[in-house]
Amino acid sequence: MSEHADVLIIGAGPAGLSAALAAANDGAQVVLLDDNPLPGGQIWRDGAQANIPSQARHLRDSVEAHTHIQRHAATRVVAKAGSQALLVENPERGWVITYRSLILCTGARELLLPFPGWTLPGVTGAGGLQALIKGGMPVVDERIVIAGSGPLLLASADTAKHHGAQVVRIAEQAPLGAVATFAMQLPRWPHKLLQSFSLFDAGYRTGTRIVAALGQDHLEGVRLQRGNKVEELACERLACGFGLIPNVQLGQALGCALGNNAIQVDAWQATDVAGVYAAGECTGFGGSELALVEGRIAGHVAAGNREAAQRLWGERQRWQRFAGSLNQHFALDPTLKHLAAPDTLLCRCEDVPYAAVAAHANWREAKLSTRCGMGACQGKVCGAAAHYLFDWPPVAPRPPFTPTRIETLIQLESAAQSEH
Amino acid sequence: MKPTRVADVIVIGAGIIGAACARELARCGQQVLVIDAGLHSATAAGMGHLLVLDDNQAELDISRYSLRRWRELGPQLPDDCAYRSNGTLWLAANEQELAAAEAKSINLRGEGIRCEMIPGHSLQEMEPILRDGLHGALRLPDDGILYAPNTARWMLDNPRIRQRRARVTELDGNRVRLDSGEWLSSEAVVLANGIQAVDLCPELPIAPKKGHLLITDRYPHPVTHTITELSYLTSVHNSSGASVACNIQPRPTGQLFIGTSRQFDTLDPEVEGWLLARMLKHAASYAPGLAKLNGIRAWAGFRAATPDGMPLIGEHPAQPGLWLAVGHEGLGVTTAPATADLLAALLFNEAEPIPAAAYAPGRYLGEPTHA
Ligand SMILES: Cc1cc2nc3c(=O)[nH]c(=O)nc-3n(C[C@H](O)[C@H](O)[C@H](O)COP(=O)(O)OP(=O)(O)OC[C@H]3O[C@@H](n4cnc5c(N)ncnc54)[C@H](O)[C@@H]3O)c2cc1C
Ligand SMILES: Cc1cc2nc3c(=O)[nH]c(=O)nc-3n(C[C@H](O)[C@H](O)[C@H](O)COP(=O)(O)OP(=O)(O)OC[C@H]3O[C@@H](n4cnc5c(N)ncnc54)[C@H](O)[C@@H]3O)c2cc1C
């Protein structure tokens, strides 16, 4: 059984939702799919404790109500199925979707870097902590340390405080000067995330990095370093994130060129592969406002309405300046490449220490001899870390892009015949 | 060109064949330098099924000898080499195949190889993943499995073996030139670089035969034996077109390898969806239990095929000092020990562990041009 879309959109975060609505309003038949049970992407995750802004709720409701939009939840792209067709799978079945245009809105994920103790229970990513809390995990009266880099630390701290946790420290690696310059520019881009951006939080420290998570079989505290000063704090939770890295794998598998580790697009949000567009954070980190406007542009262009797309260029430019400032001021300090000790696990799925991976010349060889990246997460975490730590270029994924039932893969036989 | 003498023997290629040869030469007291370019190797792509094949005497000789050597080596191999003696089940899907299985069992027993016929009705009890209605199977309990990349690394971890990361760009008897332009020499050079052998010796009759594999997620005890089909025997020897055969191999982790395909005239390393699908469909036709399992990764590799399916082991007839250990097709992990022992015996003029003629390079390259 196969399905056809004028415009197929992968990812139902801010970029994908706004692309779907724009394309559908232009008359296109849209199919929108996402691997999560609910739409909203990284920022508008529904869950027991989620608090979704009304604009997001409105966007989501409009997408749900639109007769031209077919949305598939909990559905993943697993392989290319000939030209202009993808094989997808959900928990019940696998099928092929053919398309005229494709928009990649696959977003970004958090960069997690290994440091001693990072695999202790109680240690998560900064966005990861936020997602857990929104999903219903109680944190009342817990002492939490948040470390790493970027505004996501503040968003995460905000969520934690809001749910009764005590955020004892927010350790930002970027130096005070950079953070202050960034903060001074903020009035130019008033928006929700940044309201929580307060340098006056008593626990906020710039130029501070994580040295180790302490504890035997669960987290008991953290060691932080600021200049020559080392501080140890007791806590129940540590959330550590070093910014976001674009999810480019699907784009790579389709042959899209990358630039700056993101999918490269032109002013029409078009990649260098005919008929394939990209929008949102898979094209580079920029926040949800940029993702929204890029999604609308891509949706209009994919549906053939270039005039509508062009009218949005000005708004996009405004948020691009914000993104530029963010990326500039929160650039990672190269010393973060040396947080791990030789025996710190880099790949926690297959228990591979940092030193074993570091001994190799590239990711392929490291994988072969250490099995790093071959476990449950298929290198989502350690592949990204290795890419940052050793400057190894990301490798295009082979089908199946994610674990896939064999009965689904068997459908490639007829699906791909057109190509063969 | 002024070559630097760097070792008693230079081995080109650190795959399972180069590693086994280097280890055997080191055991004979030689100082060995192993040069490897870090290319996409068959050893990394393969399945590591250790099996006896008896299509012809040469295949039987080299696989039987090698299996014995793997069993001797087994207890020394570290855990991560994943050596197991789990046995092979050759499935018969119809009466003809059953007859073939019986004939094979008689032949194998005559050669002193343990095996038994399993009636069709007992198969599902032995391997619940199999469909019903199979006519029976031939079981070879002494066949095994191995994780070849780690085994190769382990073999190279030897005080008499040095390793160097470089690409050989030219050969001249016992001299080799590296991509740096540097020339190295030794008493003997062993060419064990798999499919890339033709880059350095275009006269070798070696063609790439592409194969796909898939590995599943971990599941509790899904399969015990390596399961393969008897019609595999016919598909192996097809010399053109794409074909698939059912090959299901348990890993000690609870994962399954599922293979395999054969394709000529391509050097494209990409996974081809249509052929991967055909291969999986075929495997699932024997083992319907596979359908609901998750495949987590697929890849393709290249076997180095000679016209008669037998490797080239011995001195290059036209290049004194250059020794060949290439062309192991789909059986090089199995046959690495015999290759190494035979090569060393020929190099040192000792008694051949198995008759060498069937593997002599002269069968394609002519008789030696030197005295
Ligand atoms: C963990 C985390 C927490 C964040 N929290 C905040 C916050 O609190 N405030 C804030 O302003 N910004 C936050 N951000 C930044 C946020 O990502 C962006 O502002 C915005 O959500 C980007 O929108 P997007 O549509 O480009 O991508 P995303 O929101 O990331 O959406 C991409 C969607 O595509 C899906 N997807 C990806 N690949 C596939 C595939 N192959 N098949 C099917 N589906 C796929 C993903 O599951 C996801 O749902 C967070 C980011 C992360 C990573
Ligand atoms: C899909 C598939 C499944 C298989 N299944 C099995 C099985 O179940 N059982 C079995 O016994 N066999 C199996 N095989 C076959 C087996 O894997 C091979 O026969 C064996 O690995 C060959 O080893 P090798 O050392 O000759 O070559 P390779 O492993 O290819 O090693 C060659 C090495 O030479 C190096 N090299 C190449 N050119 C140069 C150069 N110019 N300079 C320096 N170095 C160079 C390369 O970097 C490489 O490391 C399978 C093969 C495939 C493809």
Side-chain angles (χ1 to χ4, degrees):
Chain A
M1 192 204 95
S2 77
E3 184 177 11
H4 179 78
D6 295 335
V7 178
L8 173 60
I9 301 172
I10 312 301
L17 288 170
S18 65
L21 202 58
N25 284 339
D26 287 337
Q29 288 295 336
V30 176
V31 174
L32 171 62
L33 61 90
D34 193 289
D35 51 8
N36 286 292
L38 290 163
Q42 295 287 5
I43 173 166
W44 303 323
R45 261 179 208 286
D46 246 353
Q49 306 188 15
N51 185 7
I52 308 274
S54 60
Q55 176 212 15
R57 214 175 281 276
H58 178 70
L59 179 56
R60 251 174 34 180
D61 293 347
S62 314
V63 165
E64 290 307 281
H66 209 296
T67 50
H68 282 16
I69 302 176
Q70 171 70 50
R71 188 173 67 80
H72 297 293
T75 304
R76 291 188 289 205
V77 179
V78 301
K80 233 181 114 176
S83 62
Q84 302 197 304
L86 296 176
L87 177 66
V88 305
E89 182 181 85
N90 70 15
E92 284 82 46
R93 63 191 180 109
W95 74 102
V96 170
I97 306 180
T98 58
Y99 57 82
R100 210 186 58 211
S101 304
L102 176 68
I103 310 179
L104 302 173
C105 299
T106 50
R109 63 190 189 281
E110 213 172 2
L111 175 61
L112 304 176
L113 294 178
F115 52 86
W118 78 293
T119 52
L120 281 173
V123 184
T124 60
L129 174 67
Q130 201 186 20
L132 285 170
I133 296 174
K134 288 182 185 176
M137 184 184 76
V139 289
V140 181
D141 292 336
E142 283 189 347
R143 288 169 299 177
I144 299 187
V145 172
I146 297 177
S149 193
L152 191 51
L153 302 188
L154 293 156
S156 180
D158 205 44
T159 306
K161 279 188 255 180
H162 191 80
H163 290 91
Q166 187 194 341
V167 176
V168 292
R169 180 69 75 241
I170 304 170
E172 166 62 57
Q173 59 88 36
L176 176 62
V179 177
T181 314
F182 174 75
M184 258 147 40
Q185 297 172 350
L186 282 182
R188 284 195 239 161
W189 303 287
H191 80 304
K192 253 200 116 49
L193 159 70
L194 301 163
Q195 286 165 8
S196 65
F197 196 100
S198 157
L199 288 176
F200 304 111
D201 185 303
Y204 192 74
R205 297 283 185 281
T206 53
T208 304
R209 60 192 173 87
I210 180 86
V211 176
L214 311 171
Q216 276 310 312
D217 33 54
H218 66 99
L219 182 74
E220 290 165 14
V222 299
R223 186 176 301 138
L224 301 168
Q225 183 168 4
R226 185 183 200 190
N228 296 324
K229 227 185 103 212
V230 173
E231 111 180 293
E232 284 188 10
L233 294 168
C235 61
E236 281 79 44
R237 261 176 214 291
L238 168 64
C240 237
F242 295 88
L244 300 181
I245 36 167
N247 291 326
V248 298
Q249 294 83 348
L250 185 53
Q252 273 187 299
L254 294 168
C256 301
L258 304 187
N260 265 331
N261 301 315
I263 300 175
Q264 215 163 29
V265 289
D266 64 14
W268 303 104
Q269 299 295 135
T271 70
D272 64 335
V273 176
V276 180
Y277 303 84
E281 290 197 329
C282 60
T283 68
F285 180 55
S288 56
E289 291 77 7
L290 183 60
L292 282 169
V293 64
E294 286 183 356
R296 283 161 71 199
I297 294 175
H300 286 309
V301 176
N305 186 355
R306 293 200 167 221
E307 294 75 41
Q310 198 160 5
R311 282 196 293 274
L312 295 164
W313 284 5
E315 189 183 340
R316 180 178 58 192
Q317 200 177 22
R318 179 173 130 78
W319 290 112
Q320 276 169 341
R321 280 198 292 267
F322 167 71
S325 172
L326 200 68
N327 289 322
Q328 180 194 341
H329 293 108
F330 289 93
L332 293 185
D333 184 328
T335 61
L336 293 172
K337 296 193 185 207
H338 309 294
L339 291 178
D343 62 347
T344 303
L345 293 186
L346 178 55
C347 171
R348 57 198 300 176
C349 304
E350 293 282 322
D351 291 344
V352 186
Y354 172 86
V357 179
H360 294 276
N362 58 51
W363 178 239
R364 182 176 60 81
E365 282 180 31
K367 258 174 89 160
L368 268 176
S369 62
T370 68
R371 305 196 53 78
C372 68
M374 293 201 179
C377 90
Q378 285 293 294
K380 276 212 177 70
V381 174
C382 62
H387 168 60
Y388 171 75
L389 294 171
F390 312 121
D391 298 310
W392 291 342
V395 218
R398 285 181 304 241
F401 303 147
T402 70
T404 306
R405 286 186 302 277
I406 284 167
E407 62 187 6
T408 298
L409 289 172
I410 288 175
Q411 299 195 25
L412 281 175
E413 190 182 11
S414 47
Q417 220 93 71
S418 55
E419 195 181 31
H420 181 55
Chain B
M1 91 185 195
K2 194 164 178 297
T4 324
R5 191 183 181 286
V6 287
D8 298 326
V9 184
I10 293 173
V11 175
I12 304 169
I16 193 72
I17 298 294
C21 290
R23 179 176 188 269
E24 181 56 23
L25 293 167
R27 206 191 54 81
C28 298
Q30 304 290 297
Q31 295 294 334
V32 184
L33 174 67
V34 177
I35 302 173
D36 193 284
L39 309 175
H40 189 78
S41 73
T43 299
M47 231 170 161
H49 183 195
L50 305 177
L51 74 166
V52 172
L53 287 177
D54 64 338
D55 274 5
N56 55 58
Q57 193 60 39
E59 194 178 49
L60 178 64
D61 285 346
I62 196 168
S63 60
R64 173 174 51 188
Y65 177 88
S66 292
L67 255 100
R68 208 191 71 225
R69 295 283 279 116
W70 282 123
R71 277 196 296 279
E72 290 164 11
L73 210 54
Q76 296 174 48
L77 291 172
D79 251 14
D80 68 357
C81 296
Y83 172 77
R84 297 286 187 284
S85 187
N86 63 322
T88 302
L89 270 188
W90 291 94
L91 301 180
N94 53 43
E95 283 309 310
Q96 267 163 304
E97 288 177 12
L98 191 62
E102 268 152 7
K104 194 172 159 73
S105 77
I106 292 165
N107 186 42
L108 288 173
R109 248 180 248 122
E111 296 285 350
I113 290 161
R114 288 210 296 160
C115 60
E116 60 173 334
M117 290 301 299
I118 310 291
H121 60 84
S122 326
L123 269 175
Q124 275 181 325
E125 197 181 319
M126 190 172 258
E127 297 290 358
I129 203 164
L130 293 174
R131 74 168 160 88
D132 51 21
L134 289 168
H135 286 235
L138 172 63
R139 175 171 176 266
L140 275 78
D142 296 330
D143 283 0
I145 53 170
L146 185 76
Y147 187 58
N150 285 351
T151 309
R153 252 187 302 281
W154 174 80
M155 288 175 150
L156 291 170
D157 185 9
N158 183 302
R160 290 209 182 87
I161 301 176
R162 280 182 304 130
Q163 295 185 62
R164 182 155 167 189
R165 167 56 52 89
R167 186 170 186 135
V168 174
T169 54
E170 202 180 329
L171 283 178
D172 178 25
N174 62 343
R175 285 171 294 217
V176 309
R177 184 184 151 105
L178 304 184
D179 42 5
S180 60
E182 192 183 350
W183 279 92
L184 309 178
S185 76
S186 54
E187 298 302 307
V189 169
V190 176
L191 187 66
N193 66 338
I195 195 70
Q196 281 95 13
V198 290
D199 297 351
L200 299 172
C201 289
E203 68 278 17
L204 299 182
I206 291 180
K209 225 188 213 185
K210 183 173 176 178
H212 286 77
L213 282 183
L214 175 133
I215 189 161
T216 69
D217 221 333
R218 299 174 184 216
Y219 294 95
H221 315 295
V223 173
T224 307
H225 296 83
T226 302
I227 298 173
T228 181
E229 57 172 306
L230 274 160
S231 46
Y232 167 83
L233 294 174
T234 47
S235 121
V236 176
H237 299 297
N238 275 348
S239 56
S240 63
S243 62
V244 295
C246 168
N247 201 320
I248 303 166
Q249 184 191 111
R251 306 301 307 153
T253 52
Q255 294 173 290
L256 297 176
F257 270 147
I258 306 176
T260 173
S261 66
R262 287 172 195 260
Q263 238 175 325
F264 287 86
D265 304 321
T266 169
L267 269 171
D268 176 6
E270 292 304 306
V271 168
E272 291 166 72
W274 63 277
L275 192 53
L276 176 71
R278 197 194 286 177
M279 171 185 107
L280 294 173
K281 187 172 164 189
H282 187 69
S285 76
Y286 285 90
L290 292 177
K292 300 282 176 199
L293 304 188
N294 267 339
I296 65 171
R297 241 185 355 263
W299 63 91
F302 297 94
R303 311 168 180 97
T306 61
D308 64 5
M310 288 300 113
L312 305 173
I313 306 169
E315 194 167 19
H316 190 303
Q319 292 214 45
L322 176 62
W323 295 75
L324 303 176
V326 290
H328 290 76
E329 229 259 65
L331 205 58
V333 177
T334 302
T335 58
T339 301
D341 291 3
L342 179 57
L343 187 93
L346 293 170
L347 234 161
F348 301 123
N349 250 318
E350 286 166 1
E352 298 163 7
I354 53 174
Y359 323 103
R363 71 193 196 277
Y364 295 112
L365 303 178
E367 288 312 303
T369 53
H370 59 289

